[in-house]
């Protein structure tokens, strides 16, 4: 396991129906770097700084993860996966790959 992995992934909504897994600092930083400039603000900047500090130094990864979660909550893209998403549930699938 990488020393830059989160203790548990963060799931965020992207687009209309896609959910992206953010499992480590690299994922979080890539997501933040790609975030549209016109939608950035102080909470974004805080999350970015926290992730960059954790990446570059001994700043706690758990604090960077919490800052990323705060950013995701502030813009309403945090996805609650306490209930398993359909693709996380095992079981029989038909020829189409859809559960039967």
């Amino acid at each position: 396991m990488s020393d830059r992995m989160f203790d548990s992934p963060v799931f965020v909504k992207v687009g209309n129906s896609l959910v992206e897994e953010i499992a480590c600092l690299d994922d979080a930083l890539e997501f933040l770097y790609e975030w549209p400039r016109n939608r950035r603000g102080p909470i974004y900047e805080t999350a970015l700084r926290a992730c960059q500090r954790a990446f570059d130094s001994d700043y706690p990864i758990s604090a960077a993860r919490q800052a990323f979660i705060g950013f995701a909550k502030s813009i309403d893209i945090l996805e609650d996966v306490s209930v398993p998403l359909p693709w996380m549930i095992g079981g029989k699938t038909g020829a189409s790959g859809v559960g039967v």
Side-chain angles (χ1 to χ4, degrees):
M1 178 186 256
S2 168
D3 60 344
R4 294 181 178 164
M5 295 294 290
F6 291 155
D7 59 351
S8 62
V10 178
F11 294 90
V12 292
K13 293 178 260 187
V14 291
N16 290 334
S17 60
L18 296 175
V19 175
E20 184 173 336
E21 179 184 56
I22 307 297
C24 63
L25 281 175
D26 292 330
D27 294 345
L29 285 167
E30 182 179 343
F31 187 89
L32 291 168
Y33 291 149
E34 292 176 0
W35 192 250
R37 289 189 186 278
N38 64 336
R39 296 187 62 200
R40 297 177 183 185
I43 298 173
Y44 165 89
E45 294 296 334
T46 299
L48 180 62
R49 261 193 322 274
C51 290
Q52 287 173 329
R53 284 183 61 199
F55 188 87
D56 293 336
S57 68
D58 60 354
Y59 188 76
I61 291 176
S62 60
R65 181 181 179 276
Q66 283 306 119
F68 185 84
I69 288 172
F71 163 71
K73 281 182 181 179
S74 76
I75 55 171
D76 198 28
I77 63 168
L78 186 66
E79 183 68 29
D80 178 16
V81 293
S82 58
V83 175
L85 298 171
W87 56 266
M88 297 173 138
I89 301 170
K92 293 175 93 177
T93 58
S96 67
V98 179
V100 275

